[in-house]
Amino acid sequence: MTARAEVPAVVDLDRVRKEYDGGRIVALDDVTLRFGQGESVAIIGRSGSGKSSMLNAMAGLDRPTRGRVLIDGREPPSAAHWTRLRQSSMGLVFQSFLLLPTLTARENVEVAMFPRIRSVAARRARADELIAEVGLTDRAHHRPGELSGGERQRVAIARSLANDPRVLLADEPTGNLDSRTSAHVLELLMDLHKTRGMALILVTHDPAVAERCHRQIRMVDGRVVEDRVHGGEGRAA
Amino acid sequence: MNGLSLPWRNLTQRPTRSFLTLLGVSLSVAAYVALAGLSRGIDNAARDGLTENGIHLIVTERGVVDIFASALPMDLESDLRAIDGVTNVAPDLANLVPAEADSHVLLNGWGAGSFLWDTVPLVAGELPSQDQPRSVVLGSRLAESLGKRTGDTVELLYEPFLVAGIAEFDSLMNDNRAILPLSSMQELTFRNGVVTVFHLQLEDPRDAEALAEIRATIESTWPRLRTASPEGITQDNRMVEIFQGFGWAVSAIALVMAVLIVINTLVMSVTERKQELAILSAIGWGRLRIIAMIVTEGMMLTAIGSAVGIALGIASASFVSAMPAVQGLVQPEITWWLLVEIVVAVLMLGAVASFYPAWRTTRMVPVTALQGQ
Ligand SMILES: Nc1ncnc2c1ncn2[C@@H]1O[C@H](COP(=O)(O)OP(=O)(O)OP(=O)(O)O)[C@@H](O)[C@H]1O
Ligand SMILES: [Mg+2]
């Protein structure tokens, strides 16, 4: 715990509550958490325990019923602010990849740069770099339908890096992949986390994945029941 | 990939739907172009025809539904001639009459010595003489479409006529008509002593004040008469008004249809693509950017649709004006201005039409659509 207090926070959850169906379902039950710069955090817990709800709230994709989400110590006041944060400081990776089916791998990466980079050539060059970084140069011109699950997830990861985020939020990034492919994707995420020094917050069911992270948070019924720093690998310098 | 690639990709991704939408937009625009072009063409055809004959002012019966129904007593001629500033008066008995091969032609009966005869640009033969009552001069285009030369016989009003001469008028309307002596026109159409219109030449047609005074004099002396300048000939003409009103109504409906088609297509398409739009939002696309993309799609549809529609519209207007029933009377008047007007109107409508579905779908919280898979 002491280790965390030293690093400046990137994301703060302050008594965040998320209810569905007018309060009949409580997905997040007054969660207070702080995520520091460069941390690697695994969020684990049973299905329905509120992991995705928490990640969505942290990305501004959903609004908490109560409580505050702070980014760099400030609460984004509007949807437009959240959009700008996702443009500049957050990358998102999802279990089901969520690529645009009509675009090639490289174009999927380029699309994320539209709001920030004007020049077509600059976008293309940057997308090529990222595609190379995830090892997909030879698949750059294929559409998602022509790629394997692992390749699709690597495209999604390249896309999430498009704007050099300081936080990568990944919701079960290996959940749709077999164990070998999972290992590859996980390796890639850990590498990026280390080389770029960005915080990695990932939701997972897989204890092996969780072990690789520096900190583990366990959720049960919308509450944080365990928040453990085990000082393992994955802590950015 | 540039800002237009994505909307373009979205359209080409659903080729059947995009094609059908384009077809709908093009047909609407085509209907608009054709009708607007034809109804403007009526004005111009009449004006050009009159101007070519050196006519400054025309006098008809007030309030007739159809200009050919105007019936004025011939002896008005001398009274009109007596008005200050009027130099010439030419009676004209005009009608659309049955001709050979099931067609109808515009037939004008002109009085002996009328100034109108001096404006006939003969290219063959001679003018019909008053002692040859069954002789006509044909406009060159009419002569050509009937396959007539001077000396031939042409059937008008179920009677044989000698083609005395052929004239090449500039105005399409004039070049598609036949002219004969007034007396035989009156006899053949049972309108003895009656004319349709008096054509007036004025001392100084550019003197607006004098013109207004002459018109006021005529209309106050004979309340049943109406005067019109060549430009204003189609105003206050019930037939033309009905046609134009009808044309405008149909073209307005056509444009509304185009808008509805675009709205419908985009509502369907964005509903299907909710998740894609949510993905864009998740990777940092602002609401305005997403709306702009959808609006661009709508504008692409309407832009291509109006380009195709303009081509179709011009083609169908020419087709209509070439039909035997209207041949020579109306030439579509499709100016660059009309086209610019249509393109601008359609693009604006396209933008407005696509804004609604865009605004509606981007209102939701992104996560709802991300989950909805
Ligand atoms: N849009 C929604 N409407 C209603 N209830 C919802 C909605 N989204 C989530 N929930 C409910 O909220 C609770 C938490 O869901 P959440 O998706 O956060 O769980 P999770 O931990 O991510 O589960 P999983 O491991 O299966 O992804 C669940 O009971 C779920 O049914
Ligand atoms: Mg989940």
Side-chain angles (χ1 to χ4, degrees):
Chain A
M1 294 297 218
T2 46
R4 244 176 305 139
E6 291 158 14
V7 248
V10 267
V11 183
D12 265 308
L13 302 182
D14 177 17
R15 281 164 299 161
V16 170
R17 187 176 181 83
K18 179 68 191 177
E19 296 173 355
Y20 292 107
D21 288 344
R24 261 178 293 148
I25 298 171
V26 179
L28 293 176
D29 191 355
D30 294 329
V31 172
T32 299
L33 278 173
R34 163 167 289 207
F35 299 91
Q37 275 176 21
E39 272 195 300
S40 65
V41 185
I43 297 167
I44 52 180
R46 290 238 179 88
S47 180
S49 58
K51 308 180 296 293
S52 295
S53 301
M54 187 160 102
L55 225 60
N56 291 335
M58 288 164 69
L61 294 177
D62 206 355
R63 284 300 160 87
T65 314
R66 253 192 284 140
R68 300 187 305 158
V69 179
L70 306 158
I71 305 294
D72 294 325
R74 253 172 303 172
E75 188 178 12
S78 70
H81 281 79
W82 275 112
T83 302
R84 233 165 290 144
L85 281 170
R86 290 197 296 271
Q87 255 167 44
S88 56
S89 21
M90 278 184 199
L92 306 182
V93 176
F94 302 91
Q95 177 175 358
S96 52
F97 323 127
L98 299 183
L99 298 173
L100 296 175
T102 59
L103 304 184
T104 65
R106 186 179 73 187
E107 287 165 344
N108 263 286
V109 178
E110 282 180 56
V111 163
M113 302 174 195
F114 267 66
R116 295 246 298 175
I117 304 176
R118 284 258 163 130
S119 144
V120 175
R123 284 198 296 254
R124 181 169 307 172
R126 175 102 183 88
D128 280 334
E129 270 171 44
L130 291 166
I131 288 285
E133 201 168 342
V134 299
L136 279 180
T137 302
D138 55 333
R139 312 291 285 158
H141 300 290
H142 291 264
R143 295 188 179 189
E146 302 156 349
L147 299 174
S148 73
E151 287 168 339
R152 286 185 218 180
Q153 195 59 301
R154 283 192 276 163
V155 175
I157 291 170
R159 179 180 69 184
S160 74
L161 300 174
N163 299 311
D164 285 315
R166 287 181 299 121
V167 190
L168 195 69
L169 301 173
D171 193 348
E172 299 190 47
T174 60
N176 275 0
L177 306 175
D178 63 47
S179 53
R180 265 195 49 203
T181 320
S182 288
H184 261 106
V185 167
L186 181 67
E187 224 48 64
L188 176 63
L189 285 172
M190 295 315 288
D191 265 3
L192 291 166
H193 158 65
K194 274 183 250 174
T195 54
R196 289 167 171 262
M198 64 183 177
L200 173 65
I201 300 170
L202 64 84
V203 170
T204 183
H205 278 295
D206 184 346
V209 173
E211 277 311 308
R212 299 284 302 271
C213 294
H214 144 82
R215 177 181 169 197
Q216 292 173 9
I217 291 170
R218 182 181 302 277
M219 310 269 308
V220 173
D221 294 337
R223 284 171 205 272
V224 176
V225 294
E226 187 184 336
D227 185 353
R228 184 165 63 94
V229 176
H230 66 90
E233 135 188 53
R235 180 77 170 89
Chain B
M1 198 174 51
N2 59 48
L4 296 179
S5 327
L6 201 53
W8 177 252
R9 212 69 73 81
N10 290 333
L11 293 178
T12 49
Q13 201 57 30
R14 294 159 181 86
T16 312
R17 179 192 300 164
S18 298
F19 175 75
L20 290 175
T21 309
L22 272 184
L23 199 64
V25 173
S26 337
L27 291 179
S28 307
V29 171
Y32 186 92
V33 170
L35 286 166
L38 286 171
S39 83
R40 288 178 197 208
I42 289 182
D43 290 341
N44 293 342
R47 183 200 59 212
D48 293 349
L50 295 169
T51 316
E52 185 176 22
N53 284 323
I55 293 160
H56 302 146
L57 191 64
I58 69 161
V59 176
T60 58
E61 186 181 350
R62 178 179 292 280
V64 286
V65 167
D66 156 4
I67 190 157
F68 300 122
S70 163
L72 303 172
M74 224 167 66
D75 19 306
L76 266 179
E77 180 179 344
S78 50
D79 295 329
L80 291 171
R81 201 182 291 276
I83 295 172
D84 231 16
V86 175
T87 51
N88 251 323
V89 178
D92 182 357
L93 178 56
N95 211 347
L96 277 174
V97 303
E100 285 178 12
D102 243 2
S103 63
H104 277 75
V105 300
L106 176 59
L107 188 59
N108 290 93
W110 288 350
S114 155
F115 74 85
L116 296 173
W117 291 114
D118 304 333
T119 66
V120 176
L122 272 183
V123 289
E126 51 193 25
L127 295 175
S129 68
Q130 299 293 324
D131 45 74
Q132 245 287 16
R134 292 291 185 269
S135 67
V136 289
V137 59
L138 299 182
S140 63
R141 265 171 267 208
L142 177 62
E144 195 180 317
S145 63
L146 294 175
K148 300 295 176 190
R149 284 190 289 176
T150 50
D152 287 353
T153 302
V154 60
E155 192 184 295
L156 296 167
L157 287 157
Y158 312 108
E159 299 253 348
F161 279 81
L162 169 73
V163 178
I166 290 174
E168 229 174 76
F169 291 97
D170 284 337
S171 132
L172 190 70
M173 189 171 80
N174 287 349
D175 206 39
N176 268 298
R177 68 176 169 187
I179 312 162
L180 78 172
L182 176 62
S183 50
S184 43
M185 181 70 178
Q186 287 173 328
E187 180 207 329
L188 281 163
T189 57
F190 314 109
R191 285 171 171 78
N192 279 319
V194 169
V195 301
T196 314
V197 37
F198 287 103
H199 300 294
L200 272 52
Q201 279 189 322
L202 309 180
E203 217 160 78
D204 184 1
R206 275 176 297 267
D207 184 345
E209 226 169 273
L211 178 73
E213 197 171 311
I214 291 165
R215 294 181 63 168
T217 308
I218 295 173
E219 294 190 351
S220 60
T221 316
W222 297 279
R224 295 273 319 276
L225 297 192
R226 171 180 169 263
T227 61
S229 59
E231 292 78 28
I233 172 74
T234 52
Q235 288 160 16
D236 206 31
N237 177 326
R238 294 295 293 156
M239 276 310 260
V240 174
E241 269 173 18
I242 290 166
F243 176 84
Q244 291 183 337
F246 178 75
W248 283 116
V250 174
S251 24
I253 291 171
L255 284 192
V256 170
M257 292 286 291
V259 172
L260 291 179
I261 289 166
V262 172
I263 293 184
N264 181 52
T265 299
L266 287 173
V267 165
M268 270 202 302
S269 138
V270 295
T271 308
E272 270 170 29
R273 287 188 289 146
K274 266 189 180 154
Q275 196 192 20
E276 282 180 51
L277 302 179
I279 292 172
L280 290 174
S281 170
I283 61 175
W285 279 46
R287 187 173 176 194
L288 280 181
R289 186 176 293 275
I290 296 175
I291 290 179
M293 179 187 77
I294 298 168
V295 169
T296 307
E297 276 174 44
M299 291 181 71
M300 279 177 165
L301 278 176
T302 48
I304 301 172
S306 58
V308 175
I310 284 171
L312 280 177
I314 292 175
S316 54
S318 326
F319 175 77
V320 168
S321 67
M323 286 191 329
V326 280
Q327 204 201 5
L329 293 179
V330 185
Q331 192 179 28
E333 172 77 12
I334 297 169
T335 56
W336 283 110
W337 255 121
L338 174 66
L339 298 186
V340 168
E341 229 173 87
I342 289 169
V343 170
V344 170
V346 168
L347 280 182
M348 273 167 43
L349 291 173
V352 172
S354 33
F355 185 82
Y356 166 70
W359 174 81
R360 205 179 73 140
T361 26
T362 52
R363 225 175 13 167
M364 67 195 176
V365 197
V367 74
T368 327
L370 281 178
Q371 285 174 341
Q373 42 186 305

